Amino acid sequence: MDGEADGSVEVSEDSGPGRRRRVHGMLKLYYGLNEEGKSVEQPESLDPCDINGPHFDPEFYLNKLRRECSLAELMDQETCMVKQIRSLDSDMQTLVYENYNKFISATDTIRKMKNDFKKMEDEMDCLSANMAAITDFSARISGTLQDQHTQITKLSGVHTLLRKLQFLFELPARLNKCLELQAYSQAVSTHRRARCVLLQYSHLPSFKGIQDDCHAIMDKLAQELRQKFRDGGSSSKDLSECVELLLQLNEPAEELCDKFLSHARSRLESDLQGLEAEIRPYPSASAVKDASAHRSSSSAAVGSLTDTSPKTSTLPSPTSNTDILEFIDRGCNEFVSSLCLVITSYQELFINHAQAGELASKNIPQMANSKLHAFVNDLAARYFSLVERRIQEEKGVADNSLLVRALDRFHRRLQAVAKLLPGSAVPNKGTEIVMRAATERVKQYLSALQSFYMDSLTDVRQALATPRLSVTGASVGGSGAVSVRDAPNSLPELLSSLSASILNQIKSVLASVHLFTAKDITFSNKPYFKGEFCSQGVRESLVVSFIKFVCQSSRQFCESAGDKGGSTPPALLLLLSRLCLDYETSTISYILTLTDEQFLVQHHSPVTPVTTLCAEARETAQKLLNHYVKVGFHLQCSYCGKTDISRVVEDTTSIDVQVGLLYEEGVRKAHSSDSSKRTFSVYSSSRQQARYAASYTPSAPMDTNLLSNIHKLFSERIDIFSSVEFNKVSVITGIIKISLKTFLECVRLRTFGRYGLQQIQVDCHYLQMYLWRFVSDENLVHFMLDEIVGSSAHRCLDPAPMEQSVIEVICERG
Amino acid sequence: MLCCIVCSIILSIVLCHSVLLIRTDEYITSFPYNVLVNKQKCVDVIGHVLFFTQARALTAQTAETDAIRFLVGTQSLKFDNQIHIIDFDDENNIISKNVLLHQVGEIWHIGASPADKAVLSTCYNKTSDSRVVSCAAVWRMPSDWETGSHESPDDSTHNPQTLELLCHLDDSTHGNTTCVLWEPMGDGKRVISLADNHALLWDLQESSTQATVSSTASLEGKGQLKFTSGKWSPHHNCSQLTTANDTAIRGWDLRTMSQMYCIENAHGQLVRDLDFNPNRQYYLASCGDDCKVKFWDVRNVQEPVKTLEEHSHWVWSVRYNHSHDQLVLTASSDSRLILSNMVSISSEPFGHLVDDEELSEGEDNHQDDKGKEPLKDSVVSTYEEHEDSVYAVEWSSADPWLFASLSYDGRLVINRVPRALKYGILL
């Protein structure tokens, strides 16, 4: 209490709230509550001089003060101490006053609680007594009710059993009713429920009866279902329901599969027959008519390639009533879609369903699957054959887009089958058909191109022939010696129009064929259409074949034209030759580049290189030109005296003009200024003299003969017919050479009188005067004319040659 | 008188100048008379013989199988024409020549009897009063023609022997004989002459001194038809004749003298010559003014079996080799002679692999063609020794590897089949 007093003395100096807290703290300290753990201060309080510390030693403190402080200080200390003690006392007093009431009320409360607890104890005792009584009662009640409960359970069991029995007894009737109402599925489910029970108790006569009844009914039901199934009039949904029920009735799945499929087949076959009926009209009776009609249609198609389509539309297609797109559409919509439907429902029924159910164990899915495949393959094969027949009828090349679209649709729809039936070969076969159709189409295009080419050639021939007719009257007198001069102006035009129309035709065909590889066509991304079709199909068998055909058919002109030379107008030969040459120089590479670009041909397989084709074209051009030379002037056989010689020169001139229209001039050796004046006679030619003078002069013939022969050995050999070059001079030179050679041979086969020789002399001189200007080397003409005169002198019975001056005079007069 | 002198001089030239030209790589030399060829060197061109006048007619002496001998008929309107007998001595490479006079006219065609070495036929033009008549006759060479000329050609110049006329093959009704054909492999008793549009079959009697027409066939048709050439088939017992007129080739059965087949437009222009394949009875070669040589199977005349277009002017003559029918010679007025090796249509399409019995059957060979690789047809060589049109070519009857060709300038060239090819065929 002392410490407290001392402490409070000091504390009293503090201001209000702080002092308050301190007071609380003291109280707490007193009650042993360590407020906020103020043990931190503890070490300081060890100081015995700390007036607030617990170890305060008043004696020590007093001694210390006395020792250390002055009197004044002690006085001050004392007054301070007194002040503090006073404030502490007053504090003490207020505290006691403040808390007094609280003590009193607390004591009251405790007292009251004591009383209440006592009352509660009594009530609890009463409750437990009551509960015991209740338990007792309930035990007694349940004991009494035990018997009745078991009885009730038993009764309810009997009741359900009876209900079941009733169900069983009512089953036949119910089934019958279901049968009447055609609620087959209900009947089946009902029967299913009862089936095992009946099976279990079938040894009991009554149940046996029920079972038999049920069997009879179910058989009937099955019969009806089967009947319905067989009738096939029902929709596929009904049908599948039927099948489902039958399956549940333990019908053998295999049989069902067969039945299902056969039923589906009959329906699909009717579709197929519908399709077939569309193709049907043509084959039997009208075969001949059709053949002719087909020809007309193909020619019409060819025609329509040049002009627009109305021509074909006016011609009714003889082969079928519908176009191919319609046909394929119908095929897709009817056959393919119902095929898909059949496949789906079949798979649903026999494969997926069976896999889930108890049938899986019997290997049914596999069996069903194989059956399905066989079925689909069979029908698809028939369908394909129909489609192929129809495609084959599609001969007109007028509108390729229709075919492509039809094929696309055909192919697209087959993809559905592919999805449904993953392992099926059907889509592949479909693709094969598309491929075949495409190849076929390319072939048709080739033949169309070929016939177009032949037609244009015929046109050209007609164009060449027409003007001739108009001039026939004029040229009738002068034998048939190639009246080419009649249509000279039109030749280059004909050539350009011919080559342009061919090129256009090729382009349009390429465009048509290009449809096959268009991006939006499903089959265009097949490897075949990406690779082989482009390179082998289009490039090789279309473009290259066509070019080859052009060359070949042109070459055939060389062959056939040999017959009397008249069948092919020489102008046509010339024109074709120029055409082939143009092909060699530019057109072929242009066409092939075009093709390669359009079709992005990747050359997996070896293809014909441009150079080969060019070489072929050039060879053809050469051959044609050679043939032109051979044939072109052969009618000059009439050189042999029958024709007026001036005619020959005229003809040569006209040929010169004609060739000049198509071919460049070419190189020519320089002429001597007086070529036409060159003296020329039997005697003047030195060689001739050497060879033939012996006939007239007896002097030393042996030497001259030898000399001439040796001279001849060393002189340049004249190739009568060497290959001509592609220029005018070379061509004309070739023609003149061969004509003169022919003249020579004719002369040698004849025997002349005096005037015959002189006529030849005049003729040769005349030719001499005019022919030199056409040829590349005039010496050639001189040489050959020498030879002719020499030979004729030799073949003359009375060789009296005309004087050179006389000849000149005659020739000057014309 | 002057004329006589001229003639004698010319004749001397004719007889003197059997010139042998040997072509080596660098140069051509000419020697008068007979010159030995260097035997070590393989020379395919054996020699040239130059006549002074023009010549078209050439034949091998068919009945002579030991000596290599050719007969040449000259063609001259001004001088006496001659038959030149060219002998080639294979052993010594010597060419020798004998001359017989043929005074009646210029010779267009010559044929040798297959049975009698001394008998030959000619077609000639007779000129009288500036009219020209074509005739044909059978001749006999004088028995002693071989004597003398070798040793002293100059002597014989003055005294050429004359052919002995056996008979004329002329009928007053038929003129203008173009050629005379001897029965191949026959006894020399039967000949056919082609005159204008008639084919006359003659029987030669009494040592060929009498000729009677036994049967005739004639060409019917529009215009003036005229046979240009013909060939007597050695097959079918020599009962067939093939003729050419204009562009058509016709086959005749000699027993009935009726036409068997006709190849219209066989050539684009005139057909000049024909020859039978000696081993394949239905095969026929033809040539003509369209510069082509065509090979036909007469059982199917729609299309030629093969066509050659090597020449650049009229082809005047085509000849199968007598024993190796793949070798075909053609002569043309482009001055070239071409030897072709037509293996694919020969009787030995595979060399020696095929038995002789099968050869006659064409079909069998065609089937075999697929099994074995057939050899390729090819041009063996082109001979350019001639400077003028070559009108005739003939294989030697004695040496199957030797042939002679005659050009209009009177040059006869004797050639051999190239050795490589010869061994290729033989081995």
Side-chain angles (χ1 to χ4, degrees), chain A residues 455-471:
Chain A
D455 287 353
S456 6
L457 279 193
T458 318
D459 290 349
V460 169
R461 285 175 92 137
Q462 273 167 1
L464 286 174
T466 326
R468 180 190 298 191
L469 282 177
S470 63
V471 201

Side-chain angles (χ1 to χ4, degrees), chain B residues 306-377:
Chain B
K306 207 101 193 175
T307 303
L308 284 181
E309 292 180 63
E310 302 296 336
H311 287 291
S312 62
H313 204 252
W314 304 353
V315 188
W316 286 78
S317 182
V318 59
R319 287 289 177 269
Y320 275 108
N321 187 300
H322 302 308
S323 33
H324 305 283
D325 56 80
Q326 57 267 55
L327 299 178
V328 177
L329 280 170
T330 51
S332 158
S333 43
D334 63 2
S335 313
R336 288 195 184 89
L337 183 68
I338 292 182
L339 175 61
S340 309
N341 189 11
M342 304 302 292
V343 188
S344 70
I345 52 169
S346 75
S347 59
E348 299 175 342
F350 313 107
H352 276 296
L353 296 173
V354 184
D355 288 332
D356 285 346
E357 280 110 37
E358 290 177 32
L359 295 180
S360 55
E361 296 302 316
E363 285 91 345
D364 289 355
N365 287 329
H366 284 303
Q367 283 162 6
D368 288 350
D369 281 344
K370 282 163 189 113
K372 299 163 204 161
E373 185 67 26
L375 298 166
K376 289 253 171 62
D377 296 341

Side-chain angles (χ1 to χ4, degrees), chain A residues 245-263:
Chain A
L245 293 176
L246 283 169
L247 268 180
Q248 283 175 0
L249 285 175
N250 277 347
E251 287 284 320
E254 201 168 336
E255 209 173 291
L256 277 179
C257 287
D258 287 345
K259 273 192 188 157
F260 183 87
L261 289 181
S262 74
H263 178 238

